[in-house]
Amino acid sequence: MTDIKSYMEEKLLQFEPYMLDRVQLLQAPDSLKEAMAYSLQAGGKRIRPMLLFAALETYGQDAEKGFDAACALEMIHTYSLIHDDLPAMDDDDLRRGKPTNHKVFGEAVAILAGDALLTYAFEMVASSKLYSAEQAVKLISMLAKAAGPSGMVGGQVADMEGEQKALSIEELEYIHHHKTGRLLAFSVMAGAFIGGADEQDTKRLETYARHIGLAFQIRDDILDIEGTEAEIGKPVGSDESNEKSTYPSLLTLEGAKLKLEQELDSAHEALASLNRPAPLLKAFADLIAKRNS
Amino acid sequence: MTDIKSYMEEKLLQFEPYMLDRVQLLQAPDSLKEAMAYSLQAGGKRIRPMLLFAALETYGQDAEKGFDAACALEMIHTYSLIHDDLPAMDDDDLRRGKPTNHKVFGEAVAILAGDALLTYAFEMVASSKLYSAEQAVKLISMLAKAAGPSGMVGGQVADMEGEQKALSIEELEYIHHHKTGRLLAFSVMAGAFIGGADEQDTKRLETYARHIGLAFQIRDDILDIEGTEAEIGKPVGSDESNEKSTYPSLLTLEGAKLKLEQELDSAHEALASLNRPAPLLKAFADLIAKRNS
């Protein structure tokens, strides 16, 4: 995994300032820009942009070609975290070990900073010089579907309605597929689309994305039990104390670990059937399934 | 104004079910769709869609050609009202005489219904069969700029920062131009753009839009003093009790009425310089400046 880590470090050195500049250059109240930038740079791992770049490079294109779509993706991911942390939602004071947006800027500005990031995400793609009009429209449509009422926001509502209720494994999977899976899948699909993947490969990558999305969530649930607070940036065991249905609570910890292995295997299988080698996407699957934070 | 009223009624009969169907047809949790539809159909006057249709018809195109852009516009307007009414923001219990979204569905769902409407708005345009890819990308870029951090959301932040502070007339105008003016201007500009207005007319319509945007806000402030609660759907005098800077508080009530007349005159002047007659846009300016609710 050394290769993938140095790949990520190299790309981040270019991508991070590019993304933050997009916010700094806005003509908007300073307090709003500050709140947007605060959460954008609050130490995320940038898994989604990296997946997009990896998919792009699989089809022989430079990561830079994905920068505006990746900014949009990360802005939407970040807005969802800001709104998720609000007192009316999960009421979290800490995110990745730092005070949450509303703790620093107040609830009203946090709501608006989220709204601003969500709206600006679509402007990033629509105004981008990297894509043709046809590409931009398709990317926006894919992104809005992944993030909106039939995607992430719908999953969020289903998640709230499922709280403190015994869920079946199918219900849990529905929630995760929508709440986190759809945006992770967009990362891969957007890279493949910009890179010009054919229909067959696109379908295989959709399968890959679905499995790493679930692997991501199962690993999250396992870390909530086995991780240390320093590693995961929030109190360990918070799922259990919230009485939330999780993979370990439905399948036992051992069962969850087995399912994680199966998802990882399925992801690798989907990659093996691609028309071309995909070493970066392969390494990402391992990284997601084995991460400690 | 009889003509314009019957024009609006006729268009609404087609547009309302079209817009609500877009929500009903979504594959999303029922509770989310219900919350989105509740605020979408909470008795708005649809001034923005109507302005878009009127601009379109000025350039010889059917209103139907504007339906998807108008849906997006009204969804974004509606999301902004839902978030605006939240306890952390204006903390309003009533909107147009009906309980606000969070009063009916709870704060968490209200936040998410707003997020869903905002995201879905962009999908409406990106997935529309009414526009070419070039048109859709341009419309999305215009809409995101009008609604995002350099537009409506930025105006909202400036408004909050200006509360309980004596503002200059320039500061008040900055707030209104961004908070409400930019989206009203988009209505006109989007119609002109889809209709194929030339560059000169586009500039004139931008001037028209700016003046009716200010007229709209000044009329709002006057109604807050002179209107009846039944007409405006919220307590009369709420600006004064909030110690908010308004046109009447800065200019006196008479001064505000004079400024309203001036804005209306400037709007009419801009229309008179267009390459073609614009009776609908003319009637809209009068409607906005003289409305009682």
Side-chain angles (χ1 to χ4, degrees):
Chain A
M1 276 206 270
T2 326
D3 278 340
I4 183 82
K5 289 222 163 126
S6 58
Y7 173 82
M8 286 174 69
E9 272 165 30
E10 189 198 314
K11 291 301 156 199
L12 277 182
L13 277 179
Q14 299 171 273
F15 178 66
E16 289 289 311
Y18 182 89
M19 180 169 64
L20 288 173
D21 275 357
R22 301 280 89 60
V23 172
Q24 297 311 338
L25 295 170
L26 275 171
Q27 288 202 302
D30 287 338
S31 54
L32 178 60
K33 283 159 58 167
E34 207 189 319
M36 292 166 76
Y38 174 81
S39 288
L40 257 190
Q41 55 193 330
K45 293 175 294 289
R46 310 295 185 218
I47 286 181
R48 293 160 194 79
M50 290 299 148
L51 273 170
L52 196 156
F53 302 155
L56 256 178
E57 302 218 11
T58 302
Y59 292 89
Q61 299 245 13
D62 288 343
E64 287 71 21
K65 181 86 181 151
F67 272 18
D68 288 337
C71 282
L73 183 52
E74 198 64 8
M75 283 174 190
I76 287 188
H77 173 57
T78 302
Y79 115 77
S80 78
L81 300 181
I82 296 176
H83 283 190
D84 225 25
D85 288 336
L86 287 168
M89 309 271 283
D90 287 353
D91 195 13
D92 279 318
D93 294 350
L94 289 176
R95 161 78 60 187
R96 297 171 188 145
K98 290 174 75 173
T100 46
N101 198 290
H102 65 272
K103 281 281 151 190
V104 180
F105 300 97
E107 266 184 76
V109 171
I111 294 169
L112 292 166
D115 295 343
L117 285 166
L118 172 55
T119 312
Y120 192 43
F122 292 107
E123 189 186 330
M124 282 294 309
V125 181
S127 305
S128 172
K129 290 186 173 64
L130 297 171
Y131 316 119
S132 69
E134 283 76 13
Q135 282 181 317
V137 162
K138 174 77 177 167
L139 285 169
I140 289 166
S141 173
M142 287 163 69
L143 182 56
K145 282 188 180 118
S150 1
M152 184 179 70
V153 175
Q156 183 69 23
V157 170
D159 189 23
M160 278 169 29
E161 289 177 348
E163 269 170 25
Q164 299 175 334
K165 189 168 101 178
L167 297 177
S168 69
I169 194 86
E170 289 75 23
E171 288 170 321
L172 190 66
E173 223 140 273
Y174 173 92
I175 289 170
H176 291 314
H177 176 56
H178 288 80
K179 193 178 163 184
T180 56
R182 292 289 302 274
L183 212 56
L184 280 166
F186 171 83
S187 318
V188 180
M189 305 315 285
F193 170 70
I194 301 169
D198 66 21
E199 210 179 315
Q200 272 196 318
D201 267 16
T202 301
K203 278 198 186 139
R204 291 161 182 154
L205 285 170
E206 210 164 349
T207 305
Y208 162 81
R210 192 175 171 105
H211 290 295
I212 60 165
L214 285 178
F216 183 87
Q217 190 55 51
I218 300 169
R219 185 70 195 150
D220 228 38
D221 288 353
I222 293 172
L223 280 173
D224 189 70
I225 296 174
E226 292 193 334
T228 68
E229 188 164 332
E231 275 172 356
I232 65 178
K234 64 177 179 181
V236 175
S238 59
D239 291 339
E240 203 180 354
S241 61
N242 289 339
E243 293 180 47
K244 266 190 113 146
S245 292
T246 64
Y247 285 96
S249 79
L250 292 186
L251 302 174
T252 76
L253 183 57
E254 283 317 301
K257 285 181 177 175
L258 191 65
K259 186 159 169 62
L260 176 59
E261 281 304 317
Q262 287 167 348
E263 296 298 336
L264 184 59
D265 287 347
S266 305
H268 282 311
E269 254 171 57
L271 287 184
S273 68
L274 286 182
N275 287 324
R276 54 186 71 208
L280 280 173
L281 290 173
K282 199 164 176 296
F284 263 109
D286 293 332
L287 193 73
I288 281 172
K290 290 168 188 166
R291 73 206 155 85
N292 290 319
S293 66
Chain B
M1 276 205 271
T2 326
D3 277 341
I4 183 82
K5 288 221 163 130
S6 58
Y7 173 82
M8 285 174 69
E9 271 165 31
E10 189 199 314
K11 291 300 156 202
L12 275 183
L13 278 178
Q14 299 170 271
F15 179 66
E16 289 289 310
Y18 182 90
M19 180 169 64
L20 288 173
D21 275 358
R22 301 281 90 62
V23 172
Q24 297 310 338
L25 295 171
L26 274 172
Q27 288 202 304
D30 287 337
S31 53
L32 178 61
K33 283 158 60 167
E34 208 189 317
M36 293 165 76
Y38 174 82
S39 289
L40 257 190
Q41 56 192 329
K45 293 175 293 292
R46 311 296 185 215
I47 287 181
R48 291 159 195 79
M50 291 299 148
L51 274 171
L52 196 156
F53 303 154
L56 256 177
E57 302 217 12
T58 303
Y59 292 90
Q61 300 245 13
D62 287 343
E64 288 71 22
K65 181 86 182 151
F67 272 19
D68 288 336
C71 281
L73 183 52
E74 199 64 8
M75 285 175 190
I76 287 188
H77 172 57
T78 302
Y79 115 76
S80 78
L81 300 181
I82 297 175
H83 282 190
D84 225 24
D85 288 336
L86 287 169
M89 309 270 284
D90 286 352
D91 195 13
D92 278 319
D93 294 349
L94 288 177
R95 160 78 60 187
R96 297 170 189 146
K98 291 175 74 174
T100 45
N101 198 290
H102 65 272
K103 280 281 152 189
V104 180
F105 301 96
E107 266 184 75
V109 171
I111 293 168
L112 291 167
D115 294 342
L117 285 166
L118 173 55
T119 312
Y120 192 42
F122 292 107
E123 189 186 331
M124 283 294 309
V125 181
S127 306
S128 172
K129 290 186 171 64
L130 298 171
Y131 315 119
S132 69
E134 283 77 13
Q135 282 181 317
V137 162
K138 174 80 177 166
L139 285 168
I140 290 167
S141 172
M142 287 163 69
L143 182 56
K145 281 186 181 119
S150 5
M152 184 179 71
V153 176
Q156 183 69 24
V157 170
D159 190 23
M160 278 170 27
E161 290 177 346
E163 268 170 26
Q164 300 173 334
K165 188 167 103 178
L167 298 177
S168 69
I169 195 85
E170 288 75 23
E171 288 169 321
L172 190 66
E173 223 140 272
Y174 173 91
I175 289 170
H176 291 315
H177 176 56
H178 287 80
K179 194 179 164 184
T180 56
R182 291 289 303 273
L183 211 56
L184 279 167
F186 171 83
S187 319
V188 180
M189 306 316 283
F193 170 70
I194 302 169
D198 66 21
E199 208 179 318
Q200 271 196 320
D201 267 16
T202 301
K203 278 198 185 138
R204 289 159 183 157
L205 285 170
E206 209 163 350
T207 305
Y208 163 81
R210 190 174 174 107
H211 290 295
I212 60 165
L214 285 178
F216 183 88
Q217 190 56 49
I218 300 168
R219 185 70 195 148
D220 228 38
D221 287 353
I222 293 172
L223 280 172
D224 189 69
I225 296 174
E226 292 192 334
T228 70
E229 187 163 333
E231 276 171 355
I232 63 178
K234 64 177 179 179
V236 175
S238 58
D239 290 339
E240 202 181 353
S241 61
N242 289 339
E243 293 178 47
K244 268 190 111 147
S245 292
T246 64
Y247 285 95
S249 79
L250 292 186
L251 302 174
T252 76
L253 183 57
E254 283 318 300
K257 286 180 178 177
L258 191 65
K259 183 158 171 63
L260 175 59
E261 281 305 316
Q262 288 167 349
E263 297 297 337
L264 184 60
D265 287 346
S266 305
H268 282 310
E269 254 172 58
L271 287 184
S273 67
L274 287 182
N275 287 325
R276 53 186 71 210
L280 280 172
L281 290 172
K282 198 165 175 298
F284 263 109
D286 292 332
L287 194 73
I288 281 172
K290 288 165 189 168
R291 75 204 153 86
N292 291 318
S293 66

